[in-house]
């Protein structure tokens, strides 16, 4: 293990590990074909949305007034990263820092997310990062079901465009809303879920903000990341 990787793992408070060899699996999903099947709430007709490229989607998000968060946001937070990434990281919603800067995971939780990703061998720039909500809920309250309904089609379209090998959900809100379940996060961890209708594997771990509050749980998060690396390689297809 190189010194940089060892330092990252020390930061995370996890035991050092031996990186396993092997290329990521070519588990590409049929996301493009499934694109028309997402909810039409946010972007008009399914046909129009299915045709949306990155630019038109970004324009749509930037001008969105479909829920009341439009009145309280400073700016929308679209998403960031490699639009051909193998990993798509899904978070909950922008916080105060993200609302100011217009980019997901730029605050303290973002710094930890970057460390977690580096532990897997991925730089932030090598993944795509997007949230369930594109606008900050005031006071960082949980998203309402109505807000999620309005915003989820944007995330679905981003996922369809990236067509990742793996989706990593960070936190209960992201996982439950993306997977459409109320199963507790403790039970969602450690299994491969599938995002219908895209057929893309989904792995769930704790939110970095939670890990900052509960550093004792970082070891479990590292187990999740190792599990995710295995899924991305196709070990658990
Ligand atoms: N938490 C999230 O879930 N997303 C962000 O972008 C920032 C903090």
């Amino acid at each position: 293990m190189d010194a940089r990787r060892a330092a990252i793992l020390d930061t995370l408070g996890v035991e050092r590990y031996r990186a396993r060899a092997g290329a990521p699996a070519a588990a590409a999903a049929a996301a493009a074909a499934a694109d028309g099947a997402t909810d039409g709430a946010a972007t008009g007709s399914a046909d129009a949305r299915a045709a949306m490229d990155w630019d038109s989607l970004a324009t749509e998000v930037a001008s969105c007034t479909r829920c009341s968060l439009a009145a309280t946001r400073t700016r929308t937070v679209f998403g960031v990263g490699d639009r051909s990434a193998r990993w798509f990281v899904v978070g909950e919603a922008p916080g105060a820092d993200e609302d100011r800067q217009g980019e997901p995971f730029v605050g303290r939780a973002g710094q930890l997310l970057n460390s977690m990703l580096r532990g897997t061998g991925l730089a932030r720039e090598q993944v795509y990062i997007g949230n369930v909500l594109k606008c900050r809920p005031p006071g960082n309250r949980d998203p309402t079901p109505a807000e999620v309904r309005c915003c989820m089609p944007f995330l679905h379209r981003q996922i369809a465009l990236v067509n990742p090998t793996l989706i990593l959900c960070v936190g209960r809100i992201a996982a439950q809303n993306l997977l459409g379940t109320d199963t507790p996060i403790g039970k969602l961890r450690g299994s491969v879920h599938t995002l219908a209708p895209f057929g893309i594997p989904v792995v769930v771990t704790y939110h970095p903000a939670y890990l900052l509050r509960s550093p004792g749980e970082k070891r479990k998060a590292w187990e999740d990341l190792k599990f995710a690396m295995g899924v991305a390689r196709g070990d658990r297809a």
Side-chain angles (χ1 to χ4, degrees), residues 145-163:
E147 289 159 1
V148 171
R149 259 197 315 280
C150 287
C151 223
M152 188 60 85
F154 294 139
L155 178 62
H156 277 177
R157 184 64 188 142
Q158 288 175 305
I159 291 170
L161 286 166
V162 173
N163 192 16

mmCIF file of all heavy atoms in Angstrom, residues 145-163:
data_model
loop_
_atom_site.group_PDB
_atom_site.id
_atom_site.type_symbol
_atom_site.label_atom_id
_atom_site.label_comp_id
_atom_site.label_asym_id
_atom_site.label_seq_id
_atom_site.Cartn_x
_atom_site.Cartn_y
_atom_site.Cartn_z
ATOM 1 N N PRO A 145 -41.970 14.185 1.311
ATOM 2 C CA PRO A 145 -42.300 13.295 0.189
ATOM 3 C C PRO A 145 -42.640 14.079 -1.084
ATOM 4 O O PRO A 145 -42.265 13.676 -2.181
ATOM 5 C CB PRO A 145 -43.508 12.505 0.707
ATOM 6 C CG PRO A 145 -43.340 12.503 2.199
ATOM 7 C CD PRO A 145 -42.719 13.844 2.535
ATOM 8 N N ALA A 146 -43.330 15.203 -0.938
ATOM 9 C CA ALA A 146 -43.700 15.987 -2.124
ATOM 10 C C ALA A 146 -42.450 16.549 -2.811
ATOM 11 O O ALA A 146 -42.352 16.553 -4.048
ATOM 12 C CB ALA A 146 -44.645 17.114 -1.731
ATOM 13 N N GLU A 147 -41.500 17.032 -2.020
ATOM 14 C CA GLU A 147 -40.255 17.556 -2.613
ATOM 15 C C GLU A 147 -39.509 16.450 -3.349
ATOM 16 O O GLU A 147 -38.988 16.662 -4.452
ATOM 17 C CB GLU A 147 -39.380 18.165 -1.509
ATOM 18 C CG GLU A 147 -39.920 19.462 -0.941
ATOM 19 C CD GLU A 147 -39.377 19.822 0.447
ATOM 20 O OE1 GLU A 147 -38.539 19.062 0.983
ATOM 21 O OE2 GLU A 147 -39.808 20.854 0.994
ATOM 22 N N VAL A 148 -39.477 15.274 -2.741
ATOM 23 C CA VAL A 148 -38.778 14.152 -3.385
ATOM 24 C C VAL A 148 -39.483 13.789 -4.695
ATOM 25 O O VAL A 148 -38.825 13.545 -5.712
ATOM 26 C CB VAL A 148 -38.707 12.939 -2.433
ATOM 27 C CG1 VAL A 148 -38.177 11.717 -3.159
ATOM 28 C CG2 VAL A 148 -37.839 13.266 -1.226
ATOM 29 N N ARG A 149 -40.802 13.780 -4.679
ATOM 30 C CA ARG A 149 -41.551 13.441 -5.910
ATOM 31 C C ARG A 149 -41.232 14.423 -7.028
ATOM 32 O O ARG A 149 -41.071 14.054 -8.181
ATOM 33 C CB ARG A 149 -43.055 13.460 -5.635
ATOM 34 C CG ARG A 149 -43.657 12.078 -5.438
ATOM 35 C CD ARG A 149 -45.168 12.092 -5.588
ATOM 36 N NE ARG A 149 -45.830 13.182 -4.899
ATOM 37 C CZ ARG A 149 -46.105 13.191 -3.591
ATOM 38 N NH1 ARG A 149 -45.768 12.166 -2.839
ATOM 39 N NH2 ARG A 149 -46.721 14.224 -3.051
ATOM 40 N N CYS A 150 -41.148 15.698 -6.684
ATOM 41 C CA CYS A 150 -40.846 16.723 -7.698
ATOM 42 C C CYS A 150 -39.433 16.560 -8.258
ATOM 43 O O CYS A 150 -39.197 16.778 -9.446
ATOM 44 C CB CYS A 150 -40.967 18.122 -7.096
ATOM 45 S SG CYS A 150 -42.656 18.634 -6.786
ATOM 46 N N CYS A 151 -38.502 16.209 -7.401
ATOM 47 C CA CYS A 151 -37.081 16.283 -7.769
ATOM 48 C C CYS A 151 -36.509 14.961 -8.289
ATOM 49 O O CYS A 151 -35.524 14.980 -9.034
ATOM 50 C CB CYS A 151 -36.286 16.729 -6.533
ATOM 51 S SG CYS A 151 -35.030 17.962 -6.881
ATOM 52 N N MET A 152 -37.101 13.845 -7.899
ATOM 53 C CA MET A 152 -36.511 12.546 -8.235
ATOM 54 C C MET A 152 -36.309 12.328 -9.748
ATOM 55 O O MET A 152 -35.308 11.724 -10.153
ATOM 56 C CB MET A 152 -37.352 11.420 -7.632
ATOM 57 C CG MET A 152 -36.744 10.043 -7.760
ATOM 58 S SD MET A 152 -35.115 9.894 -6.955
ATOM 59 C CE MET A 152 -35.580 9.522 -5.266
ATOM 60 N N PRO A 153 -37.225 12.812 -10.592
ATOM 61 C CA PRO A 153 -36.987 12.612 -12.028
ATOM 62 C C PRO A 153 -35.679 13.241 -12.521
ATOM 63 O O PRO A 153 -35.070 12.742 -13.469
ATOM 64 C CB PRO A 153 -38.206 13.263 -12.686
ATOM 65 C CG PRO A 153 -39.277 13.147 -11.643
ATOM 66 C CD PRO A 153 -38.569 13.379 -10.330
ATOM 67 N N PHE A 154 -35.254 14.333 -11.885
ATOM 68 C CA PHE A 154 -33.967 14.924 -12.280
ATOM 69 C C PHE A 154 -32.824 13.953 -11.980
ATOM 70 O O PHE A 154 -31.928 13.753 -12.802
ATOM 71 C CB PHE A 154 -33.715 16.234 -11.516
ATOM 72 C CG PHE A 154 -34.670 17.352 -11.848
ATOM 73 C CD1 PHE A 154 -35.168 18.177 -10.852
ATOM 74 C CD2 PHE A 154 -35.057 17.597 -13.157
ATOM 75 C CE1 PHE A 154 -36.031 19.215 -11.153
ATOM 76 C CE2 PHE A 154 -35.916 18.634 -13.470
ATOM 77 C CZ PHE A 154 -36.413 19.450 -12.457
ATOM 78 N N LEU A 155 -32.879 13.364 -10.776
ATOM 79 C CA LEU A 155 -31.825 12.409 -10.404
ATOM 80 C C LEU A 155 -31.876 11.185 -11.319
ATOM 81 O O LEU A 155 -30.837 10.701 -11.773
ATOM 82 C CB LEU A 155 -31.985 12.000 -8.934
ATOM 83 C CG LEU A 155 -30.975 10.977 -8.419
ATOM 84 C CD1 LEU A 155 -29.546 11.526 -8.495
ATOM 85 C CD2 LEU A 155 -31.303 10.571 -6.982
ATOM 86 N N HIS A 156 -33.077 10.716 -11.595
ATOM 87 C CA HIS A 156 -33.197 9.559 -12.496
ATOM 88 C C HIS A 156 -32.578 9.856 -13.858
ATOM 89 O O HIS A 156 -31.894 9.015 -14.441
ATOM 90 C CB HIS A 156 -34.672 9.178 -12.669
ATOM 91 C CG HIS A 156 -35.193 8.324 -11.559
ATOM 92 N ND1 HIS A 156 -36.498 7.917 -11.490
ATOM 93 C CD2 HIS A 156 -34.583 7.796 -10.465
ATOM 94 C CE1 HIS A 156 -36.667 7.165 -10.411
ATOM 95 N NE2 HIS A 156 -35.525 7.088 -9.772
ATOM 96 N N ARG A 157 -32.826 11.061 -14.357
ATOM 97 C CA ARG A 157 -32.269 11.395 -15.683
ATOM 98 C C ARG A 157 -30.742 11.489 -15.609
ATOM 99 O O ARG A 157 -30.034 11.057 -16.527
ATOM 100 C CB ARG A 157 -32.876 12.705 -16.195
ATOM 101 C CG ARG A 157 -32.421 13.062 -17.603
ATOM 102 C CD ARG A 157 -32.879 12.041 -18.635
ATOM 103 N NE ARG A 157 -32.286 12.305 -19.952
ATOM 104 C CZ ARG A 157 -31.875 11.359 -20.793
ATOM 105 N NH1 ARG A 157 -31.976 10.084 -20.484
ATOM 106 N NH2 ARG A 157 -31.359 11.684 -21.959
ATOM 107 N N GLN A 158 -30.227 12.042 -14.504
ATOM 108 C CA GLN A 158 -28.764 12.101 -14.351
ATOM 109 C C GLN A 158 -28.181 10.687 -14.336
ATOM 110 O O GLN A 158 -27.160 10.421 -14.972
ATOM 111 C CB GLN A 158 -28.397 12.833 -13.045
ATOM 112 C CG GLN A 158 -28.654 14.324 -13.083
ATOM 113 C CD GLN A 158 -28.395 14.977 -11.735
ATOM 114 O OE1 GLN A 158 -28.962 14.585 -10.710
ATOM 115 N NE2 GLN A 158 -27.553 15.995 -11.723
ATOM 116 N N ILE A 159 -28.836 9.799 -13.613
ATOM 117 C CA ILE A 159 -28.353 8.420 -13.545
ATOM 118 C C ILE A 159 -28.404 7.774 -14.928
ATOM 119 O O ILE A 159 -27.464 7.078 -15.340
ATOM 120 C CB ILE A 159 -29.185 7.612 -12.513
ATOM 121 C CG1 ILE A 159 -28.875 8.103 -11.094
ATOM 122 C CG2 ILE A 159 -28.911 6.114 -12.634
ATOM 123 C CD1 ILE A 159 -29.806 7.552 -10.013
ATOM 124 N N ALA A 160 -29.489 8.024 -15.647
ATOM 125 C CA ALA A 160 -29.603 7.449 -16.992
ATOM 126 C C ALA A 160 -28.487 7.969 -17.900
ATOM 127 O O ALA A 160 -27.911 7.225 -18.697
ATOM 128 C CB ALA A 160 -30.970 7.772 -17.584
ATOM 129 N N LEU A 161 -28.170 9.248 -17.784
ATOM 130 C CA LEU A 161 -27.135 9.832 -18.646
ATOM 131 C C LEU A 161 -25.742 9.311 -18.288
ATOM 132 O O LEU A 161 -24.924 9.038 -19.168
ATOM 133 C CB LEU A 161 -27.168 11.367 -18.548
ATOM 134 C CG LEU A 161 -28.337 12.050 -19.272
ATOM 135 C CD1 LEU A 161 -28.472 13.506 -18.829
ATOM 136 C CD2 LEU A 161 -28.155 11.985 -20.790
ATOM 137 N N VAL A 162 -25.474 9.176 -17.000
ATOM 138 C CA VAL A 162 -24.154 8.672 -16.586
ATOM 139 C C VAL A 162 -24.051 7.171 -16.852
ATOM 140 O O VAL A 162 -23.022 6.660 -17.273
ATOM 141 C CB VAL A 162 -23.899 8.971 -15.079
ATOM 142 C CG1 VAL A 162 -22.616 8.313 -14.601
ATOM 143 C CG2 VAL A 162 -23.841 10.476 -14.840
ATOM 144 N N ASN A 163 -25.159 6.469 -16.602
ATOM 145 C CA ASN A 163 -25.195 5.003 -16.766
ATOM 146 C C ASN A 163 -24.044 4.327 -16.016
ATOM 147 O O ASN A 163 -23.214 3.635 -16.611
ATOM 148 C CB ASN A 163 -25.163 4.643 -18.253
ATOM 149 C CG ASN A 163 -25.502 3.180 -18.476
ATOM 150 O OD1 ASN A 163 -26.043 2.520 -17.594
ATOM 151 N ND2 ASN A 163 -25.167 2.655 -19.638
#
